Amino acid sequence: MDDLDSIKRLKAGDIGGLHALVDRYQVKAARCAYLISQDRALAEDIMQNAFLRVYDRIDQFDLTRPFEPWLMRIVVNMALQAVGGRPLIADVDALALLDPAPDPAALAEAHEQEAAVRAALSALSPEQRAVIVLRYYLGYTESEMARELEKPLGTVRWRLFAAHKRLRGLLAHLKGGRA
Amino acid sequence: MNEEQLVQQLEQIAAKEIPDDMNKWPDIHTQLVQRRTRSRAIRRTLSGIAAALVIVVTGLVGSAFSQGPSSDPGLDHVQELGLLQPLNLTESHDNMTITLTEGYADANRIAVWMTIETDEQPILLPTIMPILSYANGDFLNAGLHPMPLDTTDPHRLKLVVSFDLVDVLPDDQPVDLRLTVNVGGMPMPVIPEGVTPEPGPIPPEYMIDVPALPPFVFTFQLDVQQALILTPQQTAEANGLGVTLDQITLAPSEITLRLCFDLPDGGDWQPKVSVQVDGVAGNLMGYRLTQLPNPAETRRCADYDIALGVTPESRQLEVTVDRLQTSASFTPESMARAQERLAAQGITVEFEVGQGGFNWKIISAPDDMDEPAIGLLVWDALSEQYAGPWSFTVDLPTDD
């Protein structure tokens, strides 16, 4: 059963259609929510609520459009809503790695790189994390991001630029070139 | 760090936190059931129908199956005509036995009657998921409509599951089918008699884990009853818009109508359809668009499945589209408008919007209205509406 079949079934009231969509997208949706919320339990809640929203609003889904971006837009918006106004606390130890003073060779180690990226993500605003996730985790183009976020292309470019700039500043000392 | 490394790091971080084998479907399914159960609880408590809500097995059955109609004139009709085909297929796993007693197929739908028996825990019908495919495993595009027939004994349930077919089934040869019944594998709420749950998530002490059983798999063959396809292509005009009754597929258990209609604007408008054959009303089982919608289009076609018996003696089909309407919306404006519409019918409701979704409380309603009927009126009232009516009368062909 492909997405279209699943959605048609769901539109016809068959909950099996939702089951198939959950099986197919729950992991990616939860990971997307985690990267924005930085909270595993919250990410799982966001993912579940996103599928409940799909269930509630499937009648409004336009069958000419692909399902995944529609779902991910719900996930991203719910994640932003969930963490909006709640400042994230960055990992202090990992943030220390962002200090340009430490040895660059040590920072190049994989686990340190990961810790640095985690900390850098935490240091971004939720909106900046969202555009980074859309661009680099979900692999959307700027035009696709503009469409899914329902924002002008210029706004998306500006947000991406700002997020990029901040991320680049936080990760500049890591080996492998510029983010 | 370059972009490629950033992508890798994001994937790695996400994968460490959210494992590949994560499965939250049971939780999502439970939340869907809870929302329905909670809605029932609030409404029953406030309307004073019962002093104490009893959500035992039969309550859950009613809740989980609330999406579908509680009667099916089409299946009643084919049963009266003696068109059911005996199956008598039984399969057992652990202490549960499922028996398919009879089956039925026509161009518009397939239905299977079954009993489920167990001598252990009461059967929780929402945990039972039937899936129909062709016998070779090929996908059969159909909407599922389960309907309990007898739930008085929680250890022995009788039900019929019908599948509305998206594509007309050829009636010149039997069809080979496979019905897979999946049971369990999810937590379920079971609230003891005398307990009235507060609105909100059901407490964990009332949740039980229903273990998954191996799938019950049945293969069988059904003859397909003949259908008659008419193309009346009648158009009616009202309120500046036209609706065309384009095609009718008449099968013994169900009528499928193709309606094409002008759109008031780019919204998701659908006709509110009612159908009668010789004065007997049918149940709308579902609908589907015939082609992918285009936001720029001004006209759209959809197929409507109506459960209603038809015989060679049937004389006249009447189709009425009372109005066009959109999906329900939950803005403050639409809820205020819905309250006005319902008040005009003597119904007072309050709406709640929160983390748990959307809910409503019935404050007062005419005595002759039951909860399911009020629920349908609430959903209708929350939609945008464009008044008709558009009416069609079709004289059915006879053998004379």
Side-chain angles (χ1 to χ4, degrees), chain B residues 3 20 38 41 60 62 174 176 184 189 211 252 293 319 325 345 352 387:
Chain B
E3 290 190 2
D20 285 335
R38 187 164 65 246
L60 282 170
D176 292 307
V319 178
Q325 66 183 47
Q345 300 173 76
E352 294 175 342

Side-chain angles (χ1 to χ4, degrees), chain B residues 99-134:
Chain B
T99 302
L100 306 191
T101 55
E102 291 153 314
Y104 170 80
D106 63 31
N108 288 340
R109 72 167 158 178
I110 294 167
V112 177
W113 282 256
M114 67 175 74
T115 58
I116 304 173
E117 296 169 277
T118 179
D119 54 7
E120 291 198 334
Q121 287 191 342
I123 300 162
L124 300 173
L125 213 47
T127 67
I128 294 168
M129 294 290 293
I131 300 167
L132 188 68
S133 65
Y134 288 107

Side-chain angles (χ1 to χ4, degrees), chain B residues 7-327:
Chain B
V7 170
Q8 285 174 357
Q9 286 297 337
L10 290 175
E11 287 174 350
Q12 191 172 315
I13 291 167
K16 276 190 179 174
E17 298 293 337
I18 308 290
D20 285 335
D21 60 356
M22 182 184 72
N23 179 16
K24 292 293 177 186
W25 169 248
D27 296 342
I28 293 169
H29 185 269
T30 300
Q31 288 186 59
L32 287 172
V33 173
Q34 282 180 341
R35 291 197 316 184
R36 295 178 197 157
T37 307
R38 187 164 65 246
S39 171
R40 286 166 58 85
I42 292 169
R43 282 181 282 155
R44 281 177 181 269
T45 303
L46 290 175
S47 59
I49 289 172
L53 174 67
V54 181
I55 306 176
V56 289
V57 172
T58 51
L60 282 170
V61 168
S63 170
F65 281 35
S66 59
Q67 285 185 347
S70 56
S71 66
D72 191 318
L75 293 183
D76 291 346
H77 177 71
V78 294
Q79 199 159 13
E80 287 164 11
L81 292 178
L83 296 178
L84 307 197
Q85 299 165 59
L87 293 176
N88 298 322
L89 300 170
T90 295
E91 190 171 336
S92 299
H93 291 303
D94 298 341
N95 285 302
M96 181 174 280
T97 298
I98 298 181
T99 302
L100 306 191
T101 55
E102 291 153 314
Y104 170 80
D106 63 31
N108 288 340
R109 72 167 158 178
I110 294 167
V112 177
W113 282 256
M114 67 175 74
T115 58
I116 304 173
E117 296 169 277
T118 179
D119 54 7
E120 291 198 334
Q121 287 191 342
I123 300 162
L124 300 173
L125 213 47
T127 67
I128 294 168
M129 294 290 293
I131 300 167
L132 188 68
S133 65
Y134 288 107
N136 64 5
D138 284 353
F139 175 63
L140 185 62
N141 200 355
L144 170 67
H145 293 282
M147 187 174 74
L149 299 173
D150 184 356
T151 58
T152 51
D153 180 353
H155 297 278
R156 187 176 190 279
L157 302 181
K158 292 178 73 174
L159 69 150
V160 56
V161 288
S162 92
F163 299 85
D164 287 321
L165 303 173
V166 172
D167 302 313
V168 172
L169 200 62
D171 57 21
D172 56 348
Q173 57 187 351
V175 59
D176 292 307
L177 299 164
R178 179 194 301 170
L179 183 71
T180 304
V181 184
N182 293 313
V183 179
M186 61 191 73
M188 289 296 301
V190 176
I191 298 174
E193 191 168 353
V195 173
T196 303
E198 292 295 322
I202 291 179
E205 60 266 31
Y206 299 140
M207 301 297 292
I208 63 166
D209 282 322
V210 182
L213 297 183
F216 295 72
V217 182
F218 304 90
T219 55
F220 52 92
Q221 186 181 72
L222 291 175
D223 292 329
V224 181
Q225 298 296 325
Q226 240 179 351
L228 177 63
I229 298 178
L230 307 176
T231 52
Q233 296 180 333
Q234 291 182 21
T235 296
E237 298 277 344
N239 206 0
L241 297 182
V243 175
T244 302
L245 177 57
D246 189 54
Q247 181 173 297
I248 305 167
T249 305
L250 294 166
S253 76
E254 193 169 87
I255 298 168
T256 299
L257 306 174
R258 175 158 300 172
L259 288 166
C260 297
F261 45 97
D262 294 334
L263 299 169
D265 57 34
D268 65 335
W269 297 97
Q270 286 293 327
K272 182 75 174 175
V273 183
S274 58
V275 176
Q276 292 191 341
V277 169
D278 296 337
V280 178
N283 288 345
L284 175 64
M285 304 294 281
Y287 67 88
R288 54 196 168 273
L289 297 177
T290 57
Q291 57 193 14
L292 298 178
N294 172 356
E297 68 195 351
T298 57
R299 192 167 169 82
R300 192 167 286 163
C301 297
D303 287 342
Y304 293 80
D305 295 322
I306 312 289
L308 182 58
V310 179
T311 67
E313 290 75 38
S314 299
R315 289 287 178 265
Q316 198 168 65
L317 174 76
E318 292 170 277
V319 178
T320 305
V321 176
D322 287 327
R323 60 182 178 271
L324 302 179
Q325 66 183 47
T326 62
S327 303

Side-chain angles (χ1 to χ4, degrees), chain A residues 86-148:
Chain A
R86 196 189 71 172
L88 289 166
I89 301 169
D91 181 335
V92 175
D93 293 336
L95 273 176
L97 297 172
L98 301 176
D99 185 337
D103 178 9
L107 291 176
E109 295 295 326
H111 69 282
E112 291 173 339
Q113 200 173 65
E114 181 190 318
V117 172
R118 281 179 184 267
L121 280 176
S122 298
L124 296 179
S125 71
E127 289 77 15
Q128 288 173 333
R129 274 199 301 279
V131 292
I132 291 293
V133 168
L134 284 165
R135 180 72 186 90
Y136 295 107
Y137 181 68
L138 296 176
Y140 288 5
T141 65
E142 291 177 352
S143 299
E144 288 168 337
M145 290 166 66
R147 191 182 64 213
E148 296 310 327

